[in-house]
Amino acid sequence: RSIAYVSSTGPDVGGSALTPTRHLAATRVGQDERKLLTPDLDRNVSNPEYSADGEIIYFRLEDSGQNHFASVESDGGGLTRLLERQVSVGDFSVVGEHTVLLMGQADQPPELYTFDNGTLSQLTSVSAETLDGVARAGVEKLQFESADGTPVEAFFFTPIDYDDSKRYPTILWLHGGPASQFTYNFHAIGQLYAAHGYVVIMPNPRGSTGYGQDFAMGTVARWGDKDFEDVMAAVDHGIELDMVDPDRMGVGGWSYGGILTNYVITQTGRFKAAISGASLGLVTANYGHDHYQLMYELEFGLPWEEPERWTALSPFSKVEAITTPTLWMGGALDWLSL
């Protein structure tokens, strides 16, 4: 009788911060009128699924470094976060009175769990044998203020046998997108570096989703500006907590994480080394070559009409300021890296 689906109120351009908030919507079969069920929810939703009686719609809710299992009444009332834990729900299935979640945690890769009547019970142990006897890093999400006072969050991984009386070499690892977020899910990279004695900082700077549309739009045509300030504030917070050794820091990331790495090393020499994966240096050189062309046009304008903006946005324009030894990585057919 009705269909629930995810709807945007503007153009969806993938990894760009221009991507609008994704809302839950519903329409009656055979009718043209649609209804937004979450118009005041400034967070992305996904995977809507009706209850057996059609009265409830279950969905995933992206919020502040988490992916919640949530529900709303079919008329849009009664929004509820059904699972309030430091976890990340990747998928779910509701069959009758039974619910199964695919759920990851900071110290454990995703497994299947039943979630019936508010009780969580683990069904699978796919990673148990692999992780048996393997120590895992402690992970904590911390909040701090950026240079302009904006609240920002980051996940801090601490080495095995962490001693709070010591400072540790640190890796600032940046996510792609920028329209994405680090979550409480299991991060093999963070765990790997922490296992080798590093503090690992994984921030959600402006441009990240999960913190509202205004926050996500914070990098529109301003790459490497406020997000640079945010990730450096994460580093400074780690120093203030006596976790981070300011004289032994590295930075890196992939895709937009690599691009932001390039902006970082053009504006500071505080890092001893950098890794830039699948990134870009001269934005104009990518126009017409990769699948983000629409994003570039909507965000920056056409390169022949806004040449100064395209030049100013390019890390290449500040290449003379780079003193950090940097490993630049990309595949031979990866146009984004050329």
Side-chain angles (χ1 to χ4, degrees):
R1 292 174 296 170
S2 62
I3 298 172
Y5 56 97
V6 175
S7 179
S8 297
T9 55
D12 188 341
V13 287
S16 171
L18 284 170
T19 299
T21 298
R22 297 183 175 100
H23 290 285
L24 192 63
T27 185
R28 299 285 292 183
V29 175
Q31 299 181 12
D32 293 333
E33 185 180 359
R34 72 170 189 171
K35 180 179 181 180
L36 284 178
L37 303 178
T38 58
D40 299 322
L41 179 63
D42 193 16
R43 297 291 187 272
N44 286 332
V45 304
S46 61
N47 302 60
E49 185 174 327
Y50 276 104
S51 61
D53 60 9
E55 296 297 321
I56 300 293
I57 301 173
Y58 300 100
F59 59 97
R60 293 172 65 243
L61 170 60
E62 186 183 47
D63 187 12
S64 187
Q66 293 181 247
N67 286 305
H68 294 276
F69 178 52
S71 70
V72 68
E73 296 169 5
S74 58
D75 63 358
L79 174 65
T80 305
R81 290 167 171 79
L82 298 168
L83 185 61
E84 291 281 5
R85 298 195 182 192
Q86 294 179 347
V87 297
S88 182
V89 175
D91 205 350
F92 67 90
S93 181
V94 180
V95 181
E97 297 180 354
H98 301 290
T99 300
V100 175
L101 307 178
L102 177 65
M103 190 182 76
Q105 302 177 67
D107 63 348
Q108 180 174 298
E111 299 282 358
L112 294 175
Y113 298 79
T114 59
F115 185 56
D116 296 337
N117 299 317
T119 301
L120 196 65
S121 299
Q122 189 168 339
L123 277 177
T124 64
S125 299
V126 176
S127 300
E129 183 177 351
T130 301
L131 294 176
D132 184 34
V134 177
R136 276 150 274 175
V139 182
E140 185 177 7
K141 186 181 71 170
L142 301 176
Q143 188 178 91
F144 45 89
E145 288 189 355
S146 189
D148 63 358
T150 299
V152 180
E153 292 184 339
F155 289 88
F156 285 72
F157 291 64
T158 50
I160 311 303
D161 299 326
Y162 175 69
D163 182 348
D164 61 11
S165 67
K166 296 170 53 179
R167 291 181 180 266
Y168 288 83
T170 299
I171 296 175
L172 175 66
W173 191 255
L174 309 174
H175 68 62
S180 64
Q181 64 167 354
F182 285 128
T183 70
Y184 277 108
N185 212 345
F186 186 85
H187 290 284
I189 288 179
Q191 291 287 340
L192 177 65
Y193 291 152
H196 283 79
Y198 293 91
V199 164
V200 184
I201 304 175
M202 293 186 170
N204 286 331
R206 266 166 282 196
S208 301
T209 54
Y211 300 88
Q213 187 69 21
D214 288 345
F215 192 88
M217 296 282 284
T219 55
V220 173
R222 298 181 65 181
W223 291 9
D225 182 7
K226 295 301 182 183
D227 50 353
F228 165 74
E229 294 178 0
D230 295 350
V231 301
M232 295 308 297
V235 169
D236 290 336
H237 188 62
I239 294 172
E240 291 169 4
L241 295 175
D242 291 328
M243 299 172 61
V244 173
D245 185 342
D247 296 321
R248 294 187 294 169
M249 300 193 302
V251 60
W254 201 261
S255 191
Y256 188 80
I259 296 171
L260 182 51
T261 295
N262 298 339
Y263 288 115
V264 168
I265 61 177
T266 61
Q267 296 180 72
T268 181
R270 294 174 64 184
F271 296 95
K272 299 300 183 183
I275 299 173
S276 179
S279 67
L280 58 79
L282 183 62
V283 182
T284 312
N286 284 66
Y287 185 78
H289 284 298
D290 63 40
H291 59 293
Y292 293 114
Q293 183 163 318
L294 176 60
M295 180 190 79
Y296 297 143
E297 292 181 5
L298 291 173
E299 191 166 349
F300 310 145
L302 294 169
W304 54 89
E305 293 179 352
E306 301 286 349
E308 293 182 357
R309 173 183 288 177
W310 282 70
T311 300
L313 280 168
S314 298
F316 181 79
S317 299
K318 300 178 180 178
V319 68
E320 75 281 356
I322 299 175
T323 59
T324 307
T326 302
L327 176 63
W328 187 288
M329 297 183 292
L333 300 180
D334 182 3
W335 282 107
L336 191 62
S337 67
L338 299 181

